[in-house]
């Protein structure tokens, strides 16, 4: 079942409208600077919902960002995006981990090159931005970093003749 998530909404607002000085867990950001990728979201109403399930749908088992649900007319009319977070998982995280989780979800929301709202797929650029400002905050991120470093240390360029 779903319920409103005021704790998530407070974090969303702080990430979108805040600066480096007032965002828990953020690193490598000037005190007066905004987090990358948040500018357009100032204009996008985002529904913040908890699911009672242990996992949310999507790439991340704890949180999923998507367009506002068509099956919920009030949500679709009032919001552009929805961020669904597993309530049990959210409350098991430290404050800094919660901010990192929500930031990762928000990085999927934005505008495309034509100015239309879009949901972005997970990519290396988003991963890089997330790690630059929050570090390696979850097991999956640490695993990806380990794989990249192992690949880098063993990969060799093959010369094409």
């Amino acid at each position: 079942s779903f319920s409103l998530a005021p704790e998530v909404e407070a974090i969303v607002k702080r990430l979108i409208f805040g600066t480096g000085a007032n965002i828990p867990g953020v690193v490598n950001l000037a005190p007066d600077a905004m987090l990358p990728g948040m500018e357009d979201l100032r204009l996008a109403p985002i529904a913040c919902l908890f699911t009672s399930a242990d996992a949310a749908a999507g790439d991340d088992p704890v949180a999923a960002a998507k367009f506002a649900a068509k099956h919920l007319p009030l949500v679709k009319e009032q919001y552009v995006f929805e961020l669904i977070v597993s309530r049990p998982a959210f409350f098991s995280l430290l404050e800094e981990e919660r901010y990192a989780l929500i930031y990762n979800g928000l990085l999927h929301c934005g505008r495309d090159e034509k100015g239309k709202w879009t949901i972005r797929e997970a990519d290396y650029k988003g991963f890089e931005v997330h790690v630059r400002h929050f570090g390696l905050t979850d097991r999956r991120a640490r695993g990806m970093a380990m794989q990249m470093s192992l690949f880098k240390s063993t990969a060799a360029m093959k010369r094409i003749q």
Side-chain angles (χ1 to χ4, degrees), residues 88-101:
F90 180 82
F91 285 106
S92 72
L93 299 172
L94 299 172
E95 182 182 37
E96 293 82 8
E97 294 171 323
R98 291 176 184 174
Y99 275 81
L101 171 75

Side-chain angles (χ1 to χ4, degrees), residues 50-55 62 85-93 98:
F50 279 132
T51 177
S52 57
D54 290 334
V62 180
V85 179
S86 165
R87 183 182 185 87
F90 180 82
F91 285 106
S92 72
L93 299 172
R98 291 176 184 174

